[in-house]
Amino acid sequence: MSGYDVTASVRSEDKAQQLLKKHAAWEGKVHFSFVPDLSASHAFDKLFDKPYDFIVHTASPVTFKVNDIQKDLIDPAVQGTIGLFQSAHKLGGSRIKRAVLLGSAVAVLDSFADEGVAGRDYTEEDWNPVTAKDAIERRDAVLGYNASKKLAEKAAWKFMDENKTAFDLTVINPDIVIGPMLHPMPGPHSINETNRFAIYSFMDGTHKAIEPVVFPFYHFVRSPSCEHLIFEGAQSDPDGDQVDVREVAKGLVLAMTAPGASNKRILLVSGVITPQLVANTIRRHFPKLKDKVAEGNPAQIFPSGVHPTGWDVSRSHEVFGKDWTYRSLEESVVDTVEDILRHEDIWNATGLGRAKKSWRFYLSEMEEKMMKLSMSFWNTVTFSKKL
């Protein structure tokens, strides 16, 4: 980011080298600190051997294949967040102005709401009633993830209430995040969780039919510029669709300095994403993938009986200004598929995938760095204003 020194915490020296190998231009521009275990006591202390102006914390487990919901999902999310805040408060000094936490819309929605009945639009005032006990007793990893994000954010706000910190807090709450990936990808296994279940699982032949496919939730946006859901030819939602990683990246950056973001939660939800919409988009734009992507019923956007509750994302427009916009689901899906196909070219050359044409994405320097951050390869990024 122009005008700032950037320090990123990663799990190991090897992770740092992987990033620099893939993004050689970052050499000398991004400095690394190593935090092997987010849950360890004083894990982030060594990060504060120099002063910072802003902290962006993104680390939280995003996986639905766990053996122990408490240990694998909830503890790292909560302890990692509180551990960082404790270190920043104790060692960061008075220079730190703001901590930005990457939360989730699952901390806002009601995990137990009836999907067959659309309720009152969700706002930043809402909290998911899910508990760790709910997830553990049901052995439900999706509920476990939802609980981990809620409890980590609650712990952050509690810490702020109980301590007189030099910094304030902003929490960015995005829904399912999809989009092009910048983290090292040695094979298909390295595709991140949300891109895997929302997009790649339709490309690799996992789903032989669309009807049985279930997403954890289906949402659409209600804001001053997006008042209706209108499907033209049942192909896409022109009013604004699923949140793209590039919007999340931009939101994290803007939240560092936006005056209106102080001590606020900010929802980032572009609109609806459903298995049928994803399938429609891939089949329309990538005819060669039609043999892999089931057709389903292109005219039936939502699964039978699903009537999703909407979201009020007016705060994101108010805080980030008149130029704040969301990419459409169509653009996000197309860009993500192109990105995966580009990587499959590379995997094919090493025997790990099939050959497809290449594609390149051009992003601003800061969006590129923060996109990587938002895909959860980094733990925490700190920014120091250059003098």
Side-chain angles (χ1 to χ4, degrees), residues 176-324:
I176 299 173
V177 180
I178 60 174
M181 295 161 282
L182 289 178
H183 60 278
M185 295 179 60
H189 66 279
S190 56
I191 295 174
N192 69 292
E193 189 76 37
T194 50
N195 273 335
R196 177 177 298 280
F197 82 72
I199 296 178
Y200 188 60
S201 63
F202 296 89
M203 298 171 59
D204 68 357
T206 294
H207 302 307
K208 306 304 180 185
I210 299 301
E211 292 76 9
V213 182
V214 176
F215 278 178
F217 28 77
Y218 310 88
H219 298 129
F220 63 94
V221 68
R222 292 190 193 276
S223 72
S225 60
C226 305
E227 291 293 342
H228 305 287
L229 266 179
I230 302 174
F231 294 101
E232 182 179 355
Q235 295 295 323
S236 63
D237 168 15
D239 288 322
D241 299 270
Q242 183 55 40
V243 66
D244 188 287
V245 68
R246 289 163 289 191
E247 267 74 76
V248 178
K250 187 175 182 179
L252 290 169
V253 174
L254 292 175
M256 293 195 305
T257 57
S262 177
N263 295 315
K264 296 286 179 60
R265 307 172 85 197
I266 303 174
L267 282 165
L268 299 186
V269 184
S270 298
V272 70
I273 182 170
T274 71
Q276 189 63 62
L277 276 177
V278 173
N280 288 356
T281 303
I282 297 176
R283 288 176 61 85
R284 184 168 68 255
H285 287 275
F286 304 93
K288 292 182 180 180
L289 293 180
K290 282 188 175 182
D291 61 330
K292 291 284 188 182
V293 182
E295 182 177 17
N297 180 357
Q300 183 178 334
I301 299 305
F302 292 105
S304 298
V306 171
H307 301 284
T309 293
W311 295 85
D312 180 348
V313 296
S314 57
R315 180 173 291 177
S316 66
H317 294 279
E318 293 166 2
V319 172
F320 296 144
K322 60 183 178 62
D323 295 329
W324 176 260

Side-chain angles (χ1 to χ4, degrees), residues 131-174:
T131 65
K133 182 180 179 181
D134 292 327
I136 293 168
E137 288 184 348
R138 300 182 189 209
R139 299 181 181 180
D140 188 326
V142 173
L143 281 183
Y145 172 71
N146 294 0
S148 77
K149 296 302 292 186
K150 171 197 171 178
L151 294 172
E153 186 186 345
K154 281 279 191 179
W157 289 116
K158 184 173 185 287
F159 183 90
M160 297 299 292
D161 287 340
E162 295 178 348
N163 296 274
K164 295 182 179 180
T165 62
F167 53 89
D168 60 12
L169 173 63
T170 300
V171 181
I172 300 297
N173 299 92

Side-chain angles (χ1 to χ4, degrees), residues 1-6 53-54 95 365-366 369 383-387:
M1 186 175 181
S2 178
Y4 287 88
D5 287 320
V6 180
D53 292 277
F54 304 101
R95 180 166 162 177
E365 179 184 356
M366 194 59 220
K369 292 174 184 175
F383 299 84
S384 301
K385 185 72 175 177
K386 291 181 178 177
L387 301 178

Side-chain angles (χ1 to χ4, degrees), residues 69-91:
I69 289 174
Q70 184 72 45
K71 181 180 178 180
D72 298 336
L73 288 175
I74 297 173
D75 287 348
V78 175
Q79 294 172 13
T81 299
I82 293 305
L84 173 64
F85 279 37
Q86 289 173 338
S87 297
H89 180 48
K90 179 179 66 175
L91 304 171

Side-chain angles (χ1 to χ4, degrees), residues 3-25:
Y4 287 88
D5 287 320
V6 180
T7 299
S9 70
V10 292
R11 307 296 172 90
S12 66
E13 174 72 27
D14 179 62
K15 295 289 188 183
Q17 292 306 315
Q18 289 180 46
L19 283 166
L20 291 176
K21 182 178 180 180
K22 183 166 185 179
H23 305 284

